[in-house]
C-alpha cells in the first residue's frame, strides 16, 4: 500500500491536501508570525477564508526554521499542505479513503463482470435462492467495507512506515526467490485461511461471525464480500501477515492482492463445472459451491491440499450440481 500511496500523492493527493490543509492557513498563528517577522518584514495576508480559519485550529507538525527563513526570503507562502507526506494523520486519512475507494471499485468491477459473463442466471430460480438476494448481498458487503477498512488500516500504516518486508529491487533477494515467492505466498495464505475459515465454523464463532455469509446458500459473485466485517477481516489477515514475516516484492504483492480479491469473487459464482484436469488440485468455484451447500467441506481458498490433510475435502461431482434442482423444478412447472 506504500507504493499506491506514493503514486496517489504524486498524481493528486498532494494537490488535494494543499487545498484541504494549506500551509497558508497557519501563517496567522502567533508562533509563525513571530518566527517569520524575526527574520523579515514580510507580513502575510490576513484575509483568510472561513475554511482557512477553521483549518488553522488543526494540529500540524512544526515548521522547520529553514523553511520559515526561505518563506521570508521569498516574501511568500508556497501553495503546499501543512501536513507533509510523512505526517501520520494525513497518511491514515489518505489510506482510509484509498482503501474504501479501492475495495468498492474491485468489488463492483470484478463482481459485475463475473455476474454478467460467468454466473449462470438460471441459478436465481433455485428454491434456496433468496428473494432480492443480489440486493441483500450488495447491502451486506457495503455495510462491511468501512469496518474491514478500519481493522485493516494498522497493517497498511505499518507498510507505509517501513515495518514490513516489502522490497523494490528485482534482484534484492535474487531472481529465484522472486519467482518462488509467488507460490510461497499462495501456499502460506491458503493454509492460514483454511484454518481461519475452519475455526470460524466452530459453533461459538460461527453463530456470531460466519453465519451471515452462509445466508447465501446459492451465492452470486456479489456474495464474495458479504461477510460480517470481523469475519471478512480475519480471512484477510494472512495476506497482510505474510509481508511482515517474509520478503516480497512490492509490485508482486500489489498484483497478488488484486488477484486474490478477484479469486474470492470468482469462486462465488455457484459454478459446478466438473471433470477438468486440475479439479483435484485447485479449490475452484465447484468446490466452494459445495462449501456453501454442505457447510463443513472445502474450506480452502485456492488449493485442495489443506482440505485433504484436514479430512474436509469433498470432490465435486456432476450429480451434486445445484442446477439440477432448478431443472427439476422447471420440469414440475
Amino acid at each position: 500500500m506504500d507504493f499506491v500511496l506514493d503514486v496517489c500523492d504524486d498524481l493528486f493527493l498532494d494537490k488535494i491536501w494543499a487545498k484541504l490543509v494549506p500551509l497558508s492557513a497557519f501563517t496567522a498563528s502567533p508562533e509563525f508570525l513571530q518566527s517569520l517577522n524575526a527574520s523579515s518584514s514580510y507580513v502575510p495576508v490576513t484575509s483568510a477564508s472561513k475554511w482557512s480559519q477553521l483549518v488553522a485550529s488543526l494540529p500540524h507538525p512544526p515548521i522547520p526554521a529553514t523553511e520559515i527563513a526561505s518563506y521570508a526570503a521569498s516574501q511568500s507562502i508556497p501553495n503546499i499542505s501543512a501536513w507533509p507526506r510523512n505526517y501520520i494523520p494525513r497518511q491514515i486519512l489518505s489510506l482510509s479513503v484509498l482503501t474504501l475507494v479501492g475495495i468498492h471499485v474491485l468489488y463492483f468491477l470484478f463482481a459485475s463482470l463475473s455476474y454478467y459473463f460467468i454466473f449462470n442466471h438460471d441459478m436465481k430460480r433455485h428454491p434456496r435462492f433468496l428473494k432480492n438476494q443480489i440486493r441483500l448481498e450488495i447491502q451486506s458487503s457495503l455495510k462491511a467495507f468501512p469496518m474491514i477498512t478500519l481493522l485493516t488500516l494498522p497493517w497498511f500504516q505499518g507498510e507505509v512506515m517501513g515495518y514490513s518486508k516489502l522490497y523494490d529491487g528485482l534482484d534484492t533477494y535474487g531472481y529465484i526467490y522472486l519467482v518462488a515467492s509467488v507460490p510461497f505466498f499462495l501456499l502460506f495464505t491458503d493454509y492460514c485461511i483454511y484454518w481461519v475459515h475452519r475455526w470460524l465454523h466452530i459453533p461459538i464463532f460461527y453463530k456470531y461471525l460466519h453465519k451471515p455469509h452462509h445466508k447465501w446458500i446459492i451465492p452470486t459473485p456479489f456474495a464474495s464480500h458479504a461477510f460480517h466485517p470481523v469475519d471478512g477481516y480475519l480471512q484477510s489477515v494472512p495476506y497482510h501477515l505474510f509481508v511482515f514475516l517474509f520478503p516480497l516484492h512490492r509490485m508482486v504483492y500489489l498484483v497478488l492482492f488484486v488477484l486474490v480479491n478477484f479469486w474470492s469473487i470468482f469462486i462465488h459464482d455457484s459454478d459446478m463445472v466438473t471433470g477438468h484436469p486440475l479439479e483435484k488440485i485447485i479449490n475452484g468455484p465447484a468446490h466452494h459451491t459445495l462449501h456453501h451447500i454442505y457447510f463443513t467441506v472445502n474450506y480452502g481458498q485456492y488449493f485442495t491440499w489443506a482440505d485433504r490433510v484436514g479430512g474436509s475435502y469433498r470432490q465435486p461431482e456432476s450429480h451434486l450440481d445445484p442446477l439440477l434442482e432448478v431443472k427439476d423444478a422447471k420440469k414440475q412447472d
Side-chain angles (χ1 to χ4, degrees):
M1 200 65 181
D2 52 350
F3 172 79
V4 174
L5 184 58
D6 282 342
V7 170
C8 291
D9 276 335
D10 288 337
L11 292 177
F12 58 88
L13 285 179
D14 281 343
K15 296 177 182 178
I16 291 176
W17 281 111
K19 293 288 186 182
L20 292 177
V21 191
L23 179 62
S24 58
F26 297 89
T27 58
S29 67
E31 294 82 4
F32 188 89
L33 286 172
Q34 183 179 5
S35 301
L36 191 62
N37 291 332
S39 57
S40 170
S41 59
Y42 168 68
V43 178
V45 177
T46 57
S47 57
S49 65
K50 290 183 178 180
W51 175 251
S52 293
Q53 293 174 15
L54 176 64
V55 168
S57 64
L58 297 175
H60 65 90
I63 303 172
T66 53
E67 289 189 23
I68 293 174
S70 67
Y71 303 155
S74 63
Q75 300 288 298
S76 65
I77 304 297
N79 185 27
I80 61 174
S81 175
W83 287 10
R85 289 187 178 188
N86 63 352
Y87 191 47
I88 292 177
R90 166 177 165 168
Q91 292 174 340
I92 291 174
L93 289 172
S94 294
L95 288 171
S96 299
V97 173
L98 291 175
T99 303
L100 279 171
V101 171
I103 191 61
H104 281 81
V105 170
L106 286 175
Y107 173 69
F108 282 108
L109 175 61
F110 290 142
S112 297
L113 289 173
S114 182
Y115 175 75
Y116 287 110
F117 296 104
I118 300 176
F119 177 70
N120 188 334
H121 288 237
D122 288 339
M123 294 301 298
K124 292 190 291 185
R125 298 201 298 269
H126 192 280
R128 303 180 78 178
F129 194 87
L130 303 179
K131 182 180 180 181
N132 298 321
Q133 179 173 314
I134 296 174
R135 178 173 61 83
L136 294 172
E137 290 171 342
I138 293 174
Q139 287 178 345
S140 178
S141 299
L142 296 183
K143 288 180 181 178
F145 287 158
M147 181 57 70
I148 292 175
T149 297
L150 182 64
L151 294 171
T152 305
L153 274 176
W155 296 101
F156 286 157
Q157 185 63 30
E159 293 174 21
V160 170
M161 297 177 72
Y163 295 128
S164 73
K165 296 192 175 183
L166 293 169
Y167 65 90
D168 295 306
L170 293 177
D171 59 348
T172 302
Y173 290 89
Y175 289 98
I176 293 178
Y177 180 81
L178 178 67
V179 174
S181 65
V182 174
F184 183 29
F185 174 87
L186 295 176
L187 290 170
F188 175 88
T189 55
D190 183 64
Y191 191 64
C192 291
I193 292 171
Y194 170 82
W195 283 109
V196 170
H197 192 180
R198 187 159 185 169
W199 290 336
L200 284 166
H201 277 260
I202 296 172
I204 185 67
F205 300 132
Y206 180 83
K207 179 180 180 180
Y208 296 104
L209 297 179
H210 197 53
K211 188 176 181 179
H213 185 64
H214 275 280
K215 179 180 181 179
W216 328 112
I217 305 298
I218 305 297
T220 78
F222 292 106
S224 58
H225 291 70
F227 289 100
H228 184 288
V230 175
D231 178 5
Y233 166 72
L234 290 175
Q235 294 197 58
S236 74
V237 165
Y239 305 135
H240 308 295
L241 180 63
F242 184 90
V243 298
F244 284 84
L245 296 178
F246 310 104
L248 189 64
H249 192 277
R250 276 184 173 78
M251 296 308 299
V252 172
Y253 180 53
L254 181 60
V255 171
L256 287 172
F257 197 80
V258 172
L259 290 179
V260 296
N261 273 279
F262 168 75
W263 185 259
S264 295
I265 292 170
F266 176 66
I267 62 176
H268 283 87
D269 68 359
S270 298
D271 182 20
M272 277 292 290
V273 175
T274 59
H276 59 83
L278 299 177
E279 186 174 77
K280 295 184 178 181
I281 300 174
I282 303 298
N283 189 78
H287 300 77
H288 202 70
T289 296
L290 294 183
H291 175 75
H292 273 263
I293 293 175
Y294 299 105
F295 290 20
T296 57
V297 300
N298 301 343
Y299 297 103
Q301 184 78 348
Y302 326 113
F303 307 112
T304 63
W305 67 285
D307 280 296
R308 291 178 181 280
V309 172
S312 55
Y313 178 72
R314 182 158 187 174
Q315 176 70 28
E317 298 175 358
S318 57
H319 72 274
L320 299 174
D321 191 344
L323 188 60
L324 295 176
E325 294 183 59
V326 176
K327 293 178 180 179
D328 290 341
K330 189 175 181 179
K331 289 178 182 179
Q332 294 176 3
D333 293 341

